[in-house]
Amino acid sequence: MSDHPEEPLISALLEEEDAQKNTVKPTGFLPIETNWFDRLFISVVIWIALCLFWFRFIEPLGLSIWIANASAAALAFIIIKKG
Amino acid sequence: MQSKRLGWILLAPTLVILFFFGVLPFIYVVYVSFHSWNPFAVNPEMVFNGADNFRKIVFDSAFLNSVGVTVMFVFFAVLSELIIGYFLAQAFMRDFPGKAIFRTIHTLPLIMAPIIVGSVWKLMTTPSIGIIPHYLDEWFGISMNIGTSAPAAFATIVIMDIWHWTPLVTLTLIAALVSLPQDPFEQAQIDGAGKRQIFWHITLPMIAPAVVATVFIRLMDALRTVDEVWMLTGGGPGSATRFVGVHIFKEVFPKTNYGYGSTISVIVLYLTIVSCWLLYVTMLAPRSKKD
């Protein structure tokens, strides 16, 4: 028998608290769990796709590719910071 | 600390080899892709042309067509290999007479070099001397000529790839099936689950990592198929079997257009990485609904 009947309860509470700490993850707008490298990768993928799309459909209309680059850079910043 | 240092020391040879044979050539290809370079021309110097190669590639109908043909090839070949490979793996999980011999024979295509596979299939499908057109004609009255019929050429390449690579899928899936614990299957049977339910709810989720790994390997391999196709059809008839690998080969070697060839390679690499990543995210990555 334990001399401290409260002890198991306290340890259970602490364990629960630890478990909660471990399960709390930073939230972002991406639908999957990511680390910073994943978000960098996603940004580069989107950057390239956007530039190719721009070359094919937007640049012939007269808009410079630098607009696509600026937009992609801004998007990359948002994704890495808040994704 | 000691074990960390030992880890890096043991990794060092691999990292050095990877750097010199993987990373460095990749960086060089990316560098060349921003240049116009024909080393065998009158002016063999590399001339920086910014993103002009990338500007050109999105309007290059031959390249876009080759991407379409490749995607179709990958879809039919990899899906068929996965389905046939799974059934073969299930068959090899049971005992039947001559299993060991059959398994050895079934694995033989794997050890053949792709160029040999292409040559053998070329012999088998050449209209005047090949065994396949001969029996197709004799038994079914079908005349097959992969030199003139685009669907026949494409189908032959898909079948050739299935014949060549299904054993790899089978072996991987056998390894995955063997390692499955028996308890969930027994419990499901006790609960009255049917074979179909067991497959969809137990077997498939449990072998999903192996399936995805196999699809990764086959996807990457199929996207860069060159030698078999080059040997069998040379990309023809017309551009029916001009896969991206063949397109790059034609751009780089006969035309010696190294800059543009590198650009196509970079884009193909991009497409390969993105497809594999999408596959990984949709099938394996842990999902969590975030509020």
Side-chain angles (χ1 to χ4, degrees):
Chain A
M1 285 293 282
S2 168
D3 295 334
H4 308 282
E6 308 92 315
E7 197 180 335
L9 182 63
I10 290 166
S11 62
L13 283 171
L14 286 173
E15 270 177 27
E16 201 174 304
E17 200 177 310
D18 281 349
Q20 276 178 352
K21 268 184 200 165
N22 289 336
T23 52
V24 172
K25 291 196 169 75
T27 53
F29 60 82
L30 291 173
I32 51 168
E33 276 176 30
T34 53
N35 57 30
W36 71 269
F37 189 80
D38 292 332
R39 294 194 289 276
L40 178 68
F41 172 78
I42 292 168
S43 308
V44 172
V45 165
I46 293 174
W47 192 315
I48 296 172
L50 186 66
C51 285
L52 290 175
F53 178 83
W54 200 276
F55 279 143
R56 181 74 174 84
F57 298 106
I58 314 288
E59 205 180 43
L61 303 176
L63 288 169
S64 167
I65 187 66
W66 291 109
I67 299 170
N69 279 323
S71 319
L75 194 62
F77 180 78
I78 294 167
I79 288 172
I80 292 169
K81 281 282 172 198
K82 298 189 174 177
Chain B
M1 196 63 197
Q2 176 70 24
S3 68
K4 217 172 186 180
R5 191 184 298 166
L6 182 70
W8 279 112
I9 290 169
L10 291 173
L11 265 177
T14 313
L15 291 178
V16 169
I17 292 169
L18 258 179
F19 179 76
F20 281 105
F21 293 99
V23 179
L24 220 56
F26 167 70
I27 292 170
Y28 186 64
V29 168
V30 172
Y31 174 76
V32 174
S33 71
F34 287 95
H35 291 77
S36 168
W37 185 33
N38 188 341
F40 302 105
V42 180
N43 178 18
E45 289 191 2
M46 223 187 260
V47 180
F48 179 74
N49 63 2
D52 280 357
N53 287 339
F54 292 90
R55 217 168 253 127
K56 183 180 163 188
I57 206 169
V58 291
F59 290 101
D60 184 351
S61 56
F63 167 71
L64 296 175
N65 176 61
S66 74
V67 171
V69 172
T70 309
V71 168
M72 225 154 66
F73 164 71
V74 168
F75 177 77
F76 286 120
V78 176
L79 190 67
S80 311
E81 283 160 21
L82 209 60
I83 294 169
I84 298 170
Y86 177 76
F87 282 116
L88 281 171
Q90 281 289 8
F92 284 129
M93 293 293 288
R94 294 151 211 262
D95 281 326
F96 56 87
K99 177 180 160 180
I101 295 170
F102 184 62
R103 192 162 59 187
T104 309
I105 294 171
H106 151 270
T107 318
L108 283 179
L110 268 187
I111 59 171
M112 291 173 76
I115 197 87
I116 307 294
V117 173
S119 312
V120 171
W121 277 76
K122 174 95 178 163
L123 280 175
M124 291 199 304
T125 52
T126 302
S128 52
I129 55 168
I131 191 168
I132 296 174
H134 174 77
Y135 281 110
L136 275 178
D137 190 30
E138 196 169 297
W139 290 345
F140 306 105
I142 299 169
S143 71
M144 175 192 170
N145 187 349
I146 61 165
T148 54
S149 163
F154 185 80
T156 307
I157 287 175
V158 171
I159 293 167
M160 178 177 69
D161 196 78
I162 292 169
W163 175 80
H164 193 187
W165 290 111
T166 301
L168 176 80
V169 180
T170 309
L171 292 181
T172 322
L173 293 184
I174 286 175
L177 288 171
V178 164
S179 66
L180 292 183
Q182 285 307 303
D183 296 357
F185 293 95
E186 285 165 7
Q187 284 169 6
Q189 276 173 339
I190 290 166
D191 289 341
K195 279 185 178 174
R196 207 174 286 176
Q197 285 172 310
I198 289 177
F199 171 75
W200 286 112
H201 298 292
I202 301 177
T203 314
L204 195 59
M206 286 172 94
I207 63 167
V211 171
V212 173
T214 314
V215 172
F216 272 11
I217 296 168
R218 284 304 306 132
L219 187 79
M220 288 185 275
D221 236 13
L223 280 169
R224 61 188 173 86
T225 302
V226 181
D227 23 18
E228 286 160 305
V229 182
W230 184 256
M231 199 65 221
L232 188 61
T233 63
S239 58
T241 58
R242 192 172 169 143
F243 300 146
V244 274
V246 177
H247 188 66
I248 294 169
F249 184 89
K250 285 189 170 175
E251 202 63 48
V252 172
F253 292 102
K255 291 188 187 173
T256 62
N257 198 350
Y258 281 67
Y260 190 57
S262 302
T263 310
I264 301 174
S265 305
V266 170
I267 294 293
V268 172
L269 180 70
Y270 170 77
L271 293 176
T272 310
I273 292 173
V274 170
S275 348
C276 287
W277 178 73
L278 284 176
L279 193 73
Y280 173 77
V281 165
T282 48
M283 290 196 69
L284 282 187
R287 286 148 182 261
S288 66
K289 185 75 187 165
K290 292 173 180 175
D291 299 316

